[in-house]
Amino acid sequence: MSTNTAKSATYHNFIDGSWVPSVSGALFENRNPADTEDLIGVFQRSTAEDVARAVGAARSAYERWRLVPAPKRAELLFRAAQLLADRKESLARDMTREMGKVLDETRGDVQEAIDMTFFMAGEGRRQYGQTVPSELRDKFAMSIRQPVGVAAVITPWNFPMAIPSWKIIPALVCGNTVVFKPATLTPLSALNFVRILEEAGIPPGVVNLVTGGGADVVNALLVSDAVRVVSFTGSTDVGRTVSGQASPSFKKVHLEMGGKNVILIMDDANLELAVEGCLWGGFGTSGQRCTAASRVVVHEKVYKPFLEQFVARAKALRVGDGLDSQTQMGPSVSQGQLETVMKYVEIGRAEGARLECGGHALTSGALARGYFHEPTIFGDVAPSMRIAQEEIFGPVVSVIQCKSFDEAVEIGNGVQYGLSASIYTQDLNRAFAAMRDMYTGIFYVNAPTIGAEVHLPFGGTKATGNGHREAGTAALDVFSEWKSIYVDFSGRLQRAQIDTTDL
Ligand code: UN1
């Protein structure tokens, strides 16, 4: 694909209901990772000054938005969900063009945003609290959810619309206002999402978008006293910084970080199904999912036939431009990401793992204009190797042999992360034991580690998260705070915590 009409399009930040250039006037380019000659557009490179304006707008809009009844806020969100559904195809195409994953997957990404928006809009009528008996006579006791204030939403490039929707929509339904800082690699999908919210009638200042600027913009959001809650998805290293920078002002912080997810394949597994699962889990989104199955632990009795089939299928995957309907795996998102993949292939070789297939960047013909890499499988991987421990975020899968179910679970848990895990077995007892013993936030039986649904909690343990979950009604806990309320209608002073009997 060559350059096209969108070439010269310049896109703006969205602050206080207006599309505006950054204060500094600095810009950055957004290019197609499948064809770097394809310039998608030019976006604002924001600075701390733009953040200050966006936070100011969000802070003053908050005083109005928090008082809009939640079912009314939800009406606007239902409208946004319908607009997303109406434009699904063009949103997916824009997303494939700027991020690289194949069209079926970007359609799935937009669908997740649609599902999340409908689901969360429903929560506008269901923000339940508790009503409980008081200890005292003629007194009611209850708890209600209240919004937190200005929410900073910091999102990654691998799910350019789904993940922003997981954060922004619950933030809004709870009555918060938002400053949205999307990944610099996927500003168009972020902008498309915000445009739809604008069109749905979200009032000025309630959602603000600042693109580009990386660490400076993130830092400005985190040090601002006016920002009261931060929701971040990205790497564990950046998450650690986010957590540190947010703590002096005691913000509520939700972190969703790395993964080194595992599929356990037992000797009684349906191998054909397991191979399918490993292909989709390992190479879907070119391995660039925090839920990607980058480790496969296989019982020694089925190790050989599994590996043979897995390698044959991986070799046959068609790699190319995600806009081509024949393509099964797109490029890495950037030069930097491709280099990381290549670096880990070298590390794997040097550690003595067996390269079963792949291992090279793809540079022939049109592929030379993008960041393509072969689907890569290492066999005979030892659990302690770096390729079996560190998040690669690329099409590289480590296959590890084990002797028993117990050993499989031990290897599975033997990483710093705890997002997702799965087991392939026909044995109900083993499935339940693994379900209990794998220390992860998500677990699958006879399915790969990916494919979480929007109405269940999403997140992980250990270095993957900080104890919160997004999606499902769990997201309401990130974006609201409890207030306990006591109403005394006795007309006299009643003293709690005084030792009297009142029978
Ligand atoms: C991510 O991997 O970054 O579970 C999010 C899934 C998706 C979301 C993944 N629904 O695969």
Side-chain angles (χ1 to χ4, degrees), residues 112 156 158-159 162-163 166 233 256-257 261 288-292 393 419-420 442 444 449-454 458:
E112 261 192 68
N158 64 335
F159 278 83
I163 292 180
W166 293 5
T233 297
E256 169 50 40
M257 304 174 282
N261 313 290
Q288 302 171 119
R289 287 189 185 223
C290 54
T291 50
F393 233 59
L419 183 54
S420 182
I442 305 169
Y444 293 87
T449 54
I450 65 177
E453 301 179 28
V454 301
F458 181 94

Side-chain angles (χ1 to χ4, degrees), residues 109-131:
D109 191 307
V110 178
Q111 187 59 46
E112 261 192 68
I114 297 167
D115 294 341
M116 177 57 85
T117 307
F118 275 122
F119 171 73
M120 271 299 157
E123 291 309 303
R125 290 187 183 269
R126 273 193 300 266
Q127 288 176 36
Y128 300 130
Q130 294 177 304
T131 50

